[in-house]
Amino acid sequence: MTKIVQVGNIACGSEQLFLISGPCVIETEDVMLRTAEKLKEVSERLKVPVIYKSSFTKDNRSSVDFYQGPGLEEGLKVLERIKKDFGFPVLTDIHTPDQAAPTAEVCDVVQIPAYLAMQTSLVTTAAKTGAVINIKHAQFLAPDNMSKPAQKCESVGNSKIILTERGYVFGYNDLIVDPRAFYHLRKTGYPVVFDITHSIRKYGIPSADPRGGNREVMPTIARSGVAAGVDGVFIETHPDPSKALCDAASQLCVYDLEEFMKPLLDLHAVEVKYRGSMAAEAQGR
C-alpha cells in the first residue's frame, strides 16, 4: 500500500497521476509566467494536478561559464509569485544544509538532487523543516538502496517522502532507465515519480547541443514508467527549449505537453484498473 503524501491539495500516491513540471532553472519572468500559464491550462483541461518545479541554482553544471540561475533569494521570490498567482504547490532543489530552512518557508516540496541523495546532513536538515522531501534516485545507487536516504528522513520524524527515478549511469556518458527500479522504489511504500526529461540527457555534451538529449525516446520511456505504476511524472518544460539556459536538449516544449500527457493518462487509468483487479483477486484467495 502506497503512503499518501499531501502536497498542497494534491494527494501524491492516490490513484490520480500527478505532474511535476516547469523550467529546469529559473530564467526571466516572461519564461516563468508563460510556462505557468500553459501549465495551468493543461492542468485544468486534463484534470491533472501540477506541482511547479524550477531550480534557483543549478550547482552541477559542467562548466562555471554556464548559467546557474538567479540564486536562493531571487529564485524563491519568483517561486513565491508563481505559487500566489497560479495556485500551484512549488518545488525546488537545495544543495547545502543552510538552504533548507528558507526554501521550506516558500516551497511545498524540497528536493534532494540525485548526486547528493546520500548526504546525511543535507537530507536530515531538509527533513527537519517538515516540508515534503523529494529524493532523486542517485545515478550510482541500486534502487532498493533508496530506502537508506528515506530512513534518514524518518530518523528526524519526517515521513513525507517522495522518491524519483531518473536513470542510471551506464557505460560512457549515457543514462539508462531500468524498469525494475519502479518495482523496488514502490516497495518502500512511498509515492514514486518518474523524471522523464533528465533520463534522456547525454552526459558530457553541453545541454544546448541538440545531441545532449534523446527526445525521440521520451514517449517510449514515459509509457514504460506509467505502465509500471508510478504515481507521478516529472517533465521539465519551457516555452522555447532551444533557447533554454539549461537542459535545452531535453526539456519538452510546454505547448506540446498536453498531447504528450494524454496517452500517459489513458495508460495510467488502465494500470490503476489492473492494480485494483489484482488486489481484489488476492483478497479472494
Side-chain angles (χ1 to χ4, degrees):
M1 181 72 69
T2 300
K3 177 184 176 64
I4 301 297
V5 174
Q6 200 71 29
V7 177
N9 62 353
I10 303 172
C12 300
S14 68
E15 292 186 349
Q16 185 176 31
L17 190 73
F18 66 93
L19 170 66
I20 299 173
S21 191
C24 176
V25 66
I26 294 172
E27 299 187 16
T28 66
E29 184 177 85
D30 176 64
V31 165
M32 302 302 290
L33 295 180
R34 284 166 61 199
T35 304
E37 287 169 359
K38 186 60 182 178
L39 285 174
K40 188 73 171 178
E41 182 183 313
V42 171
S43 176
E44 291 175 350
R45 191 140 55 207
L46 297 184
K47 296 186 171 22
V48 58
V50 171
I51 300 170
Y52 191 96
K53 180 269 170 186
S54 200
S55 300
F56 57 77
T57 297
K58 295 297 290 186
D59 207 27
N60 60 350
R61 301 305 305 272
S62 57
S63 169
V64 294
D65 297 323
F66 294 161
Y67 178 71
Q68 289 186 290
L72 176 68
E73 186 175 346
E74 290 305 312
L76 290 179
K77 287 179 182 178
V78 173
L79 292 172
E80 191 169 32
R81 178 178 176 185
I82 296 291
K83 183 175 182 176
K84 179 182 177 182
D85 290 357
F86 295 92
F88 292 128
V90 293
L91 175 156
T92 199
D93 43 339
I94 62 171
H95 302 86
T96 57
D98 61 288
Q99 295 173 340
T103 297
E105 289 179 8
V106 172
C107 296
D108 303 85
V109 185
V110 176
Q111 181 169 284
I112 306 299
Y115 283 135
L116 304 177
M118 290 301 288
Q119 297 298 109
T120 300
S121 59
L122 182 66
V123 172
T124 56
T125 303
K128 286 175 183 177
T129 67
V132 175
I133 307 299
N134 182 34
I135 310 175
K136 300 290 284 289
H137 177 198
Q139 298 94 325
F140 51 82
L141 203 62
D144 51 343
N145 284 336
M146 278 298 287
S147 61
K148 304 303 183 185
Q151 288 165 4
K152 292 178 182 182
C153 290
E154 293 165 352
S155 74
V156 294
N158 190 340
S159 59
K160 297 184 292 186
I161 301 164
I162 296 171
L163 301 179
T164 295
E165 171 58 32
R166 48 96 66 245
Y168 298 84
V169 173
F170 182 84
Y172 291 91
N173 293 331
D174 204 1
L175 285 171
I176 293 295
V177 175
D178 182 351
R180 294 176 297 179
F182 302 122
Y183 169 81
H184 288 294
L185 294 181
R186 285 192 70 84
K187 288 194 73 174
T188 66
Y190 290 110
V192 175
V193 171
F194 181 21
D195 181 348
I196 298 162
T197 44
H198 279 112
S199 295
I200 65 166
R201 281 285 290 123
K202 296 283 287 184
Y203 286 170
I205 301 176
S207 68
D209 189 319
R211 298 171 301 164
N214 292 320
R215 276 202 187 94
E216 65 273 14
V217 304
M218 279 180 62
T220 300
I221 65 170
R223 291 194 299 268
S224 72
V226 173
V230 298
D231 302 288
V233 288
F234 184 123
I235 304 173
E236 289 188 332
T237 51
H238 192 282
D240 186 354
S242 66
K243 295 180 181 177
L245 301 180
C246 181
D247 284 4
S250 56
Q251 293 194 68
L252 182 69
C253 179
V254 72
Y255 300 111
D256 296 331
L257 178 64
E258 184 170 347
E259 292 305 310
F260 187 87
M261 285 296 299
K262 285 179 179 177
L264 301 186
L265 292 168
D266 290 342
L267 184 58
H268 177 70
V270 173
E271 194 280 328
V272 168
K273 185 176 180 180
Y274 169 77
R275 198 189 315 166
S277 66
M278 293 295 288
E281 183 180 325
Q283 287 180 349
R285 287 174 187 157

